Amino acid sequence: MKIIVCIKQVPGTNEVKMDPSTNTIIRENVASIINPFDTYAIEEAVRIKEKYGAEVYGLSMGIPAATEMLREAISLKIDKAMLLTDRKFAGADTLATSYALSRGALKIGEYDLIICGKQATDGDTAQVGPSLAKTLGIAYATDISKIIELNCSFMRCMKITDDGYEEIEIKLPALITVVKEINMPRLPSIKSMRNAKSAEIEIVTSKDAAADENRSGLKGSPTQVRKTFVPVHDVNSIYLLGTPFEQSKKLAEILMGKES
Ligand SMILES: Cc1cc2nc3c(=O)[nH]c(=O)nc-3n(C[C@H](O)[C@H](O)[C@H](O)COP(=O)(O)OP(=O)(O)OC[C@H]3O[C@@H](n4cnc5c(N)ncnc54)[C@H](O)[C@@H]3O)c2cc1C
C-alpha cells in the first residue's frame, strides 16, 4: 500500500504578516512549523504502515526552506518526501495549490490513500483536501476521527459531523482529511532526528511535474485577495442585561425604535 500525506509549512506564530503589494503571506524569514493538523495525518499514515505495511510519502508545495520541515516529518517515521517548489507555483490559491499537489501525487504514482489535515492554521479554508481529491478524480471524506478497517480496496472509518459521528465506507484510492481526535502524534527520537538530517528530499519543479503553467500559481488562481485587514471592534455594540424576559423586552423596544 502506498500512502501520501500532504504536509504544509505554516508560520509558527499568530502574527502572520501580509505583503501589501501582492496580498500574500510573507513566508520568508518567518519561523515555520508543520501545520499542526498535518502532524495527525503523518501519525495516522505511520500507524497504518506499522499495522498493515505501507510506504508513506510526504508531499508539500512551498518555498525551498520547507525541506527542513519535510526532514522533521521523516524523523516522525514517514519514508520519503517530495517538495514541489518553483516560482511558477507561487501565489497559488486553493485551486492552484490542489492542482500542484495533484501533479506531485501523480508523479509519486499508484497511491492507495492520501491523508490531509483537516485544515491549515494559516489559510484555514479546509478546501485543499476535497479540491485535491476532485482534481485527481478520487473519492474523499473529511473530518475523519477513526479508521476502523482498511484493506486494499476499501476503508471503513468514523467521521465527525455537526450532530455526532457517522460510520462510512469509502472505496480506495481515496483521500481523507483527519481531525485531532484521531490519534496522539508521537515525538521523534534522537536517532530518527539524526537520520532525518541526511535524508534526501525530492525537489520537483513545475517542469519536472509536467504542470500546466496556466493552472499554476498566481496565473492559475481565480481567487484574488482584494484587501486584508484586522476587523475593527464595533464600539456601538449594546449588551442587554437582565433576565431573558427583560432582555427580549429591551430588544423589541430597540427594534421598534422606542429606545434611543
Ligand atoms: C489569491 C491568493 C493568493 C495566495 N498567495 C499565496 C502565496 O503567495 N503564498 C502562500 O503560501 N499562500 C498563498 N495563498 C494562500 C494559499 O492559497 C493557501 O495557503 C493554500 O492554497 C492552502 O490553503 P489553506 O491554507 O486554506 O489550506 P487548507 O485547505 O485549510 O488545508 C487543508 C490541508 O491540505 C493540505 N495542504 C494545504 N496546502 C498545502 C501545501 N501547500 N502543501 C501540502 N499540503 C497542503 C494539508 O494537509 C492541510 O492540512 C494565497 C491565497 C489566495 C486566495
Side-chain angles (χ1 to χ4, degrees):
M1 170 169 275
K2 199 186 277 182
I3 305 173
I4 299 175
V5 187
C6 292
I7 311 168
K8 185 181 184 191
Q9 187 181 42
V10 296
T13 167
N14 288 335
E15 291 176 16
V16 173
K17 293 202 174 69
M18 303 294 289
D19 178 340
S21 59
T22 57
N23 276 320
T24 56
I25 297 171
I26 299 172
R27 291 176 194 272
E28 284 76 14
N29 303 320
V30 176
S32 299
I33 55 169
I34 295 179
N35 173 40
F37 282 102
D38 299 349
T39 60
Y40 299 92
I42 292 170
E43 177 65 27
E44 202 54 27
V46 172
R47 286 187 189 199
I48 294 171
K49 173 172 90 163
E50 289 168 349
K51 192 166 173 190
Y52 301 100
E55 193 168 35
V56 181
Y57 280 72
L59 173 63
S60 190
M61 184 196 78
I63 57 175
T67 46
E68 285 316 304
M69 175 211 62
L70 287 172
R71 280 215 173 84
E72 192 184 332
I74 287 178
S75 77
L76 295 168
K77 296 281 165 64
I78 67 165
D79 300 301
K80 292 180 181 170
M82 176 190 282
L83 176 66
L84 295 153
T85 189
D86 198 306
R87 289 305 310 159
K88 291 185 178 129
F89 292 135
D93 68 2
T94 54
L95 189 72
T97 300
S98 313
Y99 172 70
L101 292 174
S102 77
R103 297 309 308 169
L106 291 171
K107 194 161 165 55
I108 290 169
E110 297 286 314
Y111 54 82
D112 301 282
L113 181 63
I114 301 181
I115 310 182
C116 293
K118 171 188 156 71
Q119 67 199 73
T121 52
D122 55 353
D124 227 5
T125 66
Q127 289 175 4
V128 170
S131 176
L132 172 57
K134 180 89 179 102
T135 312
L136 290 167
I138 58 173
Y140 73 90
T142 55
D143 301 330
I144 298 303
S145 62
K146 188 176 183 182
I147 295 178
I148 303 163
E149 194 185 346
L150 174 71
N151 62 37
C152 305
S153 53
F154 84 98
M155 70 191 283
R156 202 151 53 83
C157 38
M158 200 67 88
K159 173 183 163 67
I160 291 190
T161 69
D162 288 344
D163 306 320
Y165 294 89
E166 215 171 62
E167 196 176 308
I168 58 163
E169 239 178 60
I170 185 165
K171 234 175 106 189
L172 301 184
L175 180 149
I176 57 169
T177 74
V178 297
V179 293
K180 59 182 169 44
E181 288 77 3
I182 197 161
N183 58 45
M184 174 68 87
R186 72 192 66 194
L187 292 171
S189 65
I190 306 260
K191 189 175 167 218
S192 64
M193 283 197 283
R194 209 179 299 130
N195 290 346
K197 274 197 173 148
S198 56
E200 204 175 306
I201 310 293
E202 188 180 353
I203 303 292
V204 172
T205 62
S206 164
K207 194 171 168 212
D208 298 333
D212 178 347
E213 283 184 28
N214 293 318
R215 295 181 69 186
S216 304
L218 210 50
K219 207 170 170 187
S221 298
T223 332
Q224 290 198 347
V225 178
R226 302 286 292 274
K227 185 177 160 192
T228 51
F229 59 96
V230 178
V232 181
H233 180 62
D234 182 6
V235 287
N236 292 323
S237 302
I238 302 170
Y239 292 96
L240 300 176
L241 301 172
T243 63
F245 176 74
E246 287 163 350
Q247 287 179 38
S248 50
K249 187 164 173 277
K250 187 106 175 162
L251 180 62
E253 284 170 3
I254 293 168
L255 293 174
M256 289 188 296
K258 290 184 183 165
E259 172 74 43
S260 57

